[in-house]
Amino acid sequence: LNRAVGVPPLSTEAPLESAAERDEWARYEYLAAVRSSFDAAGQADAALPFAKRALELRVIEERAPKAYAGLHVVAFKDSLNLGRLADAHEVLTDLHGCASSAHRRVDKEAEAIYRERRADCFNTLVSVLHARGGVAQLAKLRFDGELRSELFLALLP
């Protein structure tokens, strides 16, 4: 399917160790290809569920953190562009969880990737809401601890 829709083959950043991981990776490739197909057709509303489903596959988080972080960014931007602020917030919160998980695994490279993408998403969130005159909507979302600090940094001029 990836070749049929013009998506280059996806590769892991670490070897897959079991049949279950290989099966989960195959599901990820399928979901990514379908999402890309909808995205190429300009149907972000149809693409988003496939991105969100792919985010549930944890083999990607551990074996391909760059791809997993990138998928978060795609789901975040699609949610934001569709006006689904709660969904964008959920993706942002999950990205924060990925950074925390990588920190606990002592995977500094993955942690840095997730933190960088989280900061990018925060900056995008503030920028888009500001452009739409909706910065006050941030008050409706829950940002605790480190996320609150990051939000304050994103709000600084």
Side-chain angles (χ1 to χ4, degrees):
L1 182 61
N2 282 340
R3 284 187 298 266
V5 296
V7 174
L10 302 168
S11 62
T12 60
E13 296 154 38
L16 300 172
E17 297 178 354
S18 68
E21 284 186 344
R22 288 188 290 279
D23 287 347
E24 197 168 280
W25 187 261
R27 282 191 299 278
Y28 166 62
E29 288 181 317
Y30 172 77
L31 292 167
V34 173
R35 193 214 67 75
S36 292
S37 180
F38 279 122
D39 190 52
Q43 298 178 344
D45 57 332
L48 183 58
F50 290 94
K52 290 177 84 175
R53 176 63 182 103
L55 288 173
E56 296 171 7
L57 303 173
R58 291 298 172 188
V59 69
I60 312 160
E61 179 183 359
E62 294 179 11
R63 302 293 181 204
K66 289 177 188 169
Y68 197 57
L71 187 58
H72 275 84
V73 171
V74 166
F76 174 81
K77 287 182 178 178
D78 283 351
S79 296
L80 202 55
N81 289 336
L82 291 168
R84 299 179 184 168
L85 190 56
D87 286 347
H89 177 262
E90 180 183 330
V91 173
L92 187 59
T93 301
D94 189 53
L95 198 51
H96 174 67
C98 292
S100 297
S101 178
H103 179 78
R104 285 189 300 277
R105 289 192 317 269
V106 192
D107 186 343
K108 294 190 183 298
E109 183 178 347
E111 181 182 3
I113 291 166
Y114 293 130
R115 288 184 184 281
E116 181 179 307
R117 295 301 174 270
R118 185 183 70 201
D120 292 345
C121 288
F122 262 117
N123 290 331
T124 299
L125 177 66
V126 169
S127 177
V128 167
L129 289 178
H130 178 43
R132 293 178 184 168
V135 174
Q137 292 180 40
L138 290 171
K140 298 176 186 174
L141 303 173
R142 184 178 175 142
F143 295 103
D144 294 323
E146 189 176 349
L147 286 177
R148 180 178 297 218
S149 298
E150 187 126 12
L151 176 61
F152 288 147
L153 288 175
L155 287 168
L156 293 175

